[in-house]
Amino acid sequence: MLAALLFLIPAAFFVLGMVRDRRRLSNAIWLGIALVMLLLLLADVGQDNPVLSLPLAFAFLLAVVGLLLLPLALLANGMVMVRREGRSLGNLLSLLAGLALLGEMAYFAWGISQPNDWIRGSAIGLFLVSAYIAFLFVSLLLYSVIYGRTGRRSGFDGIIVLGAGLIGSRVPKLLANRLDRAMRLYHRERAAGRTPVIVVTGGQGADEEVSEAFAMREYLVERGIPDDEIVMEDQATTTDENLLYSKALLAERGHTGRVVAVTNNYHVFRTAVLSRNHGLRLQVIGAPTAWYFVPSAFLREFVALLVRNPVVHGLACLLLMAGGLVLTQI
């Protein structure tokens, strides 16, 4: 009974959070806690039930193999990123994460066998911290997928396209995917009898020949979008500013209806969280991203979410520890 409650309580908070506002960061934490509790509940129930115990044992084996292979996968992805995108810090994230995981595994394997209590304690502590970070990462990843596949897909009066870096004055593939998705939304709304305005947002970087907004408008106009239905916001330099300045421009022009922001799929949930933090009522929709770019990009999103929202960690950690302790006594 207690084990079931430990699953139902976070599951109920997750469902309630989804109903109230899908953009809550806490929704991801409740989802992760609910899934951990569900696995522990199934493990407890399946102790004397081979129908459950065998699939669970197989799932556990796959998880262990996946954990062991993860550093190698991150290293491989990091090398692909460096080869295709250059050696910036953002592009090195998956490579650095893979090296850090390998180092942590090696230190834990060595430290746990040492007679010195301090070394053993640090090895166990580092393992627990790594496990907790992994829990947060998986929770946010799973919820990002859920968020990106749910919610409204039509009925918008405004479409905000978030900027991304240019190559000189040229729109690269990453940004083109956002603009192409925005055009599909625009044509869908027009076919339904609505006349949405498209806001292209992004300032000019030091290595860019024009502002991102200007290049984005040119891209859209060349593909048949009427110039008078495009609004340029060419001052923003961050996602926060993209959202705030664009919403203000829409309000100045009398567009107070439903708004959708278009970005790449790895960036969707953080954009949604930022919009909620600023009190903006909008939907966020993702555009496709090259497969090799996603791991490093999502690692950046993960770090940014944790830095801006440190309060959520304590609740998740306490609940997981309490649930694990209780279930070990059942």
Side-chain angles (χ1 to χ4, degrees):
M1 180 63 180
L2 183 56
L5 282 176
L6 286 171
F7 161 67
L8 291 174
I9 290 173
F13 276 106
F14 167 68
V15 173
L16 181 62
M18 286 283 288
V19 171
R20 293 181 63 186
D21 193 335
R22 295 168 48 252
R23 301 172 299 170
R24 290 171 176 266
L25 182 60
S26 58
N27 292 346
I29 306 302
W30 287 120
L31 172 65
I33 294 172
L35 291 176
V36 170
M37 295 306 170
L38 177 61
L39 289 175
L40 292 174
L41 174 61
L42 291 175
D44 179 62
V45 173
Q47 286 181 359
D48 301 316
N49 187 344
V51 174
L52 285 177
S53 60
L54 290 177
L56 283 171
F58 182 69
F60 178 76
L61 178 62
L62 286 179
V64 171
V65 172
L67 180 63
L68 294 175
L69 293 179
L70 179 60
L72 300 180
L74 287 171
L75 290 174
N77 177 255
M79 289 186 285
V80 172
M81 280 292 294
V82 170
R83 187 170 66 251
R84 297 194 182 189
E85 302 291 335
R87 296 179 180 175
S88 68
L89 179 59
N91 294 337
L92 288 170
L93 273 180
S94 56
L95 186 65
L96 294 174
L99 290 172
L101 277 176
L102 281 177
E104 190 278 329
M105 289 178 176
Y107 183 74
F108 178 76
W110 171 78
I112 199 70
S113 63
Q114 298 303 304
N116 187 293
D117 290 339
W118 287 102
I119 294 177
R120 285 204 313 274
S122 64
I124 294 171
L126 183 60
F127 173 80
L128 292 175
V129 170
S130 301
Y132 180 58
I133 293 174
F135 161 77
L136 290 176
F137 182 82
V138 172
S139 298
L140 288 169
L141 178 62
L142 290 176
Y143 189 70
S144 294
V145 173
I146 292 173
Y147 180 89
R149 295 182 177 275
T150 57
R152 177 180 291 274
R153 287 294 184 269
S154 62
F156 303 115
D157 301 304
I159 302 170
I160 299 172
V161 189
L162 303 187
L166 304 176
I167 301 176
S169 61
R170 182 171 63 84
V171 171
K173 180 64 175 173
L174 189 76
L175 183 53
N177 286 342
R178 301 183 185 187
L179 293 164
D180 292 342
R181 184 64 190 273
M183 284 192 290
R184 289 197 294 273
L185 287 171
Y186 171 85
H187 290 305
R188 183 189 303 167
E189 298 302 320
R190 294 283 293 182
R194 289 178 287 270
T195 55
V197 63
I198 300 178
V199 181
V200 288
T201 172
Q204 182 175 352
D207 59 344
E208 296 172 340
E209 298 174 8
V210 297
S211 70
E212 294 167 7
F214 180 85
M216 294 160 73
R217 184 186 67 179
E218 293 297 297
Y219 183 95
L220 294 174
V221 170
E222 288 173 3
R223 287 155 180 79
I225 304 297
D227 188 54
D228 60 354
E229 294 185 11
I230 302 173
V231 176
M232 275 207 330
E233 185 292 296
D234 58 2
Q235 300 301 312
T237 58
T238 65
T239 302
D240 284 287
E241 293 176 352
N242 287 149
L243 296 171
L244 290 171
Y245 297 169
S246 298
K247 194 70 187 240
L249 282 175
L250 286 171
E252 287 174 7
R253 287 160 173 74
H255 296 281
T256 57
R258 293 191 178 96
V259 178
V260 62
V262 180
T263 184
N264 287 91
N265 47 21
Y266 64 83
H267 191 225
V268 164
F269 184 53
R270 185 163 74 91
T271 303
V273 171
L274 289 174
S275 71
R276 181 176 184 274
N277 290 344
H278 291 304
L280 303 176
R281 300 295 300 178
L282 55 81
Q283 169 82 18
V284 186
I285 289 179
T289 308
W291 65 268
Y292 68 87
F293 197 85
V294 173
S296 289
F298 194 80
L299 281 169
R300 288 201 300 269
E301 298 297 299
F302 174 66
V303 172
L305 280 169
L306 293 192
V307 168
R308 290 184 65 108
N309 302 272
V311 178
V312 299
H313 313 337
L315 173 64
C317 191
L318 287 173
L319 285 171
L320 286 170
M321 290 174 62
L325 288 172
V326 171
L327 286 171
T328 56
Q329 304 302 317
I330 295 176

